Amino acid sequence: MKGARRWLLGLAAVVTLLAGLLARGAWLDDAAHERFVERLRRAEFLEVALIQDALEARLALMHDYDALVTRGRELSALLRELADPPAAVDGPGGAELRALLDAQGRRAAAELAALEDFKRHHALLKNSLLYLPILVGELAQHAPEDLADRLNTLLGDVLLYNLSPSEEVEARLRAAADALARRDDPGLALLARHARVVLDAKPRVDALLRELAALEALARHDDIERVYGELHARARARVQANRIGLVVALGALLSLAYSYVLLRVREEQRRADRLLENMLPRAIVRQLQSRAGPVADRFEGATVLFADIAGFTPFAAARPPEEVVRRLDDIFSRLDALTVAAGLEKIKTIGDAYMVAGGVPVPRDDHARAVADLALAMLAEVRDVADIALRIGIHSGPVVAGVLGATKPSYDLWGDTVNYASRMESHGVVGAIQVSEATRALLGDAYEFQERTVDVKGRGPQTTYLLLGRRT
């Protein structure tokens, strides 16, 4: 704020000086010159902003790419306008300036094409990554066990390929997709097509991000500024004595414009830091900023919650995409608010499933009770939402936690505790909270439970409990 105030004061002083100089003498086509300089600075600023946007996109800090493409279109249109410089500099050397502006315009058109291409491929990739887990879940429910295992393996390879592409994973995925496509089943054919979309779109999206992030906006304007400056200096010799003062004022304006760009870049960097804190736990962000190497920890006492929206797949299939996204966003926004209020950590969403952990990344003794209270609050929150019911599972135990990914970093948990918490959800009851014996022991007598026996896949009969509420 102080930097912006100083910039405005400096701008006001320069504008006042310019007005005085112009009042004392004529200027060669003032309006044309000022329009040209303003557009040139705006073009430079737009390219700096495009680089910042590309970096944010590469770090997965940007979710709406329409603004990125709009900025590219504005830059391309602006450079088309710059192709017609002021008449005062259209003498000897003017052809060189026009050639530079034309080349800059062609570069901007190529950048815009890359932006459009990125938006298109990213939309395809995002769509397939959104519906693949839903489609695998639906197909696996009715498939033989060996086919269900293959479907889940394919989904895991797709997610792994999206996180870290490799030739080995690509080969497995293509082979699996080809095998599914050969089966006489429309659902499996659709699944194969989505997998191929990921294989085709992911490398293109990454390549375009690298291309956009490698732009060198400031260097591209150096020759234009140099040539235009020389031409303008020649024209300047034809004006009255106050030209010297006017040049000083214009230099100050240039300096202020550059300072403004730097100010905006710093503001964007602070904004990027805030966005990173929204993506990762604050404690993890501090670790990433203060030390090199991977961020990984083991927590002996943690509680993991999975909440799934029961029946969401048929709900989504029967409604327009806009309504599906609005409904899912409304539900997850409510759960986000509850999680933040409880002081717990949202780990991720997988399709229509929501994962929360207590006791990580900052250990706390009451992690089980905090998660149990959050689960009760979640059920109460969605009770008034039509056609929506949650199935929640909770388990407590040790976990390993860390950050994965360089371009799209995410904080995640691993271990048997996570797997068993997922089993508690998938073997649970719609509209209820199922907890394991470990969580039941940590919760003590402060809550009411209903004991039950569940045949858990891979473990056999297990004693579990439905969490009914707090004792009054």
Side-chain angles (χ1 to χ4, degrees):
M1 185 63 71
K2 291 182 179 179
R5 187 180 295 111
R6 286 195 296 269
W7 184 86
L8 288 173
L9 290 174
L11 179 62
V14 171
V15 169
T16 301
L17 178 59
L18 279 171
L21 291 170
L22 289 173
R24 294 198 303 269
W27 177 250
L28 294 176
D29 199 356
D30 293 352
H33 170 72
E34 291 173 3
R35 280 197 303 270
F36 188 84
V37 171
E38 180 183 354
R39 289 168 181 168
L40 190 60
R41 294 302 160 211
R42 178 62 180 169
E44 185 174 351
F45 170 75
L46 284 173
E47 289 216 23
V48 171
L50 274 174
I51 293 175
Q52 182 68 27
D53 289 347
L55 290 174
E56 289 186 12
R58 193 171 184 184
L59 293 173
L61 301 178
M62 179 181 289
H63 303 288
D64 181 8
Y65 298 101
D66 289 338
L68 184 63
V69 176
T70 299
R71 204 188 298 275
R73 291 172 180 168
E74 182 185 354
L75 176 62
S76 184
L78 194 61
L79 288 172
R80 285 196 298 271
E81 296 176 355
L82 283 171
D84 185 20
V89 299
D90 202 11
E96 181 184 1
L97 177 62
R98 289 182 180 276
L100 289 171
L101 290 170
D102 182 63
Q104 187 75 334
R106 289 196 300 272
R107 282 195 295 268
E111 290 172 11
L112 179 58
L115 287 170
E116 299 278 8
D117 197 18
F118 166 76
K119 180 183 176 183
R120 181 172 61 257
H121 281 85
H122 183 270
L124 291 172
L125 177 63
K126 183 178 180 181
N127 181 69
S128 290
L129 289 174
L130 175 65
Y131 285 103
L132 265 170
I134 298 174
L135 188 57
V136 167
E138 184 175 354
L139 293 173
Q141 288 181 355
H142 307 289
E145 184 174 352
D146 61 332
L147 178 57
D149 290 340
R150 290 168 59 191
L151 294 179
N152 286 319
T153 299
L154 181 140
L155 176 59
D157 282 343
V158 166
L159 298 177
L160 178 60
Y161 185 78
N162 181 59
L163 184 66
S164 179
S166 68
E167 293 182 358
E168 179 184 355
V169 178
E170 179 184 0
R172 285 204 311 267
L173 271 176
R174 290 198 182 279
D178 292 343
L180 292 176
R182 289 193 295 269
R183 299 175 71 101
D184 187 17
D185 187 306
L188 296 178
L190 177 60
L191 181 63
R193 285 198 296 273
H194 278 297
R196 287 167 178 160
V197 167
V198 174
L199 286 171
D200 295 337
K202 174 62 177 177
R204 183 59 180 162
V205 166
D206 287 349
L208 288 168
L209 280 176
R210 289 192 296 271
E211 177 182 337
L212 293 173
L215 300 177
E216 298 178 359
L218 295 176
R220 296 180 179 183
H221 291 266
D222 287 347
D223 288 341
I224 295 175
E225 292 178 358
R226 175 184 57 79
V227 173
Y228 180 75
E230 292 172 358
L231 294 174
H232 191 262
R234 294 171 193 169
R236 193 172 53 198
R238 300 189 296 268
V239 301
Q240 300 175 357
N242 67 335
R243 282 286 292 120
I244 296 176
L246 206 52
V247 168
V248 173
L250 287 173
L253 188 60
L254 267 175
S255 177
L256 281 172
Y258 183 70
S259 299
Y260 179 71
V261 170
L262 292 180
L263 178 64
R264 290 300 304 271
V265 168
R266 293 191 188 100
E267 290 175 352
E268 291 297 326
Q269 183 60 52
R270 287 193 292 269
R271 177 171 168 266
D273 290 341
R274 290 194 298 270
L275 289 172
L276 187 60
E277 289 185 357
N278 287 334
M279 290 180 58
L280 300 173
R282 183 169 299 177
I284 299 303
V285 173
R286 286 197 293 268
Q287 290 187 47
L288 287 172
Q289 294 172 339
S290 63
R291 76 185 194 194
V295 174
D297 299 285
R298 179 178 179 84
F299 298 90
E300 296 300 331
T303 297
V304 179
L305 175 150
F306 280 92
D308 182 74
I309 303 176
F312 192 78
T313 298
F315 172 87
R319 287 166 174 79
E322 295 81 3
E323 181 181 348
V324 172
V325 172
R326 280 197 302 269
R327 179 65 67 89
L328 200 59
D329 180 65
D330 174 63
I331 295 169
F332 282 172
S333 295
R334 295 186 185 201
L335 301 187
D336 285 345
L338 293 175
T339 302
V340 170
L344 297 171
E345 196 62 48
K346 172 186 174 182
I347 302 301
K348 59 185 174 181
T349 58
I350 310 170
D352 58 352
Y354 191 91
M355 179 181 176
V356 177
V360 294
V362 179
R364 55 187 292 179
D365 295 334
D366 64 339
H367 55 85
R369 292 193 176 190
V371 172
D373 290 338
L374 173 62
L376 293 169
M378 285 179 169
L379 289 185
E381 180 67 26
V382 302
R383 191 170 294 129
D384 62 337
V385 181
D387 302 322
I388 293 298
L390 296 180
R391 182 174 56 242
I392 300 177
I394 303 174
H395 179 52
S396 302
V399 297
V400 173
V403 176
L404 292 181
T407 59
K408 295 182 179 180
S410 63
Y411 185 70
D412 210 343
L413 309 181
W414 302 272
D416 184 67
T417 299
V418 177
N419 296 334
Y420 198 61
S422 178
R423 291 284 191 272
M424 288 294 96
E425 177 273 314
S426 61
H427 291 74
V429 178
V430 175
I433 305 163
Q434 181 167 249
V435 304
S436 65
E437 283 191 296
T439 303
R440 167 67 180 87
L442 291 173
L443 293 176
D445 297 328
Y447 298 82
E448 295 183 359
F449 300 93
Q450 177 184 329
E451 184 176 336
R452 62 198 301 255
T453 300
V454 177
D455 190 3
V456 178
K457 182 178 180 180
R459 294 177 182 258
Q462 299 287 309
T463 300
T464 65
Y465 301 85
L466 295 182
L467 176 61
L468 304 180
R470 272 187 172 271
R471 293 188 182 276
T472 57

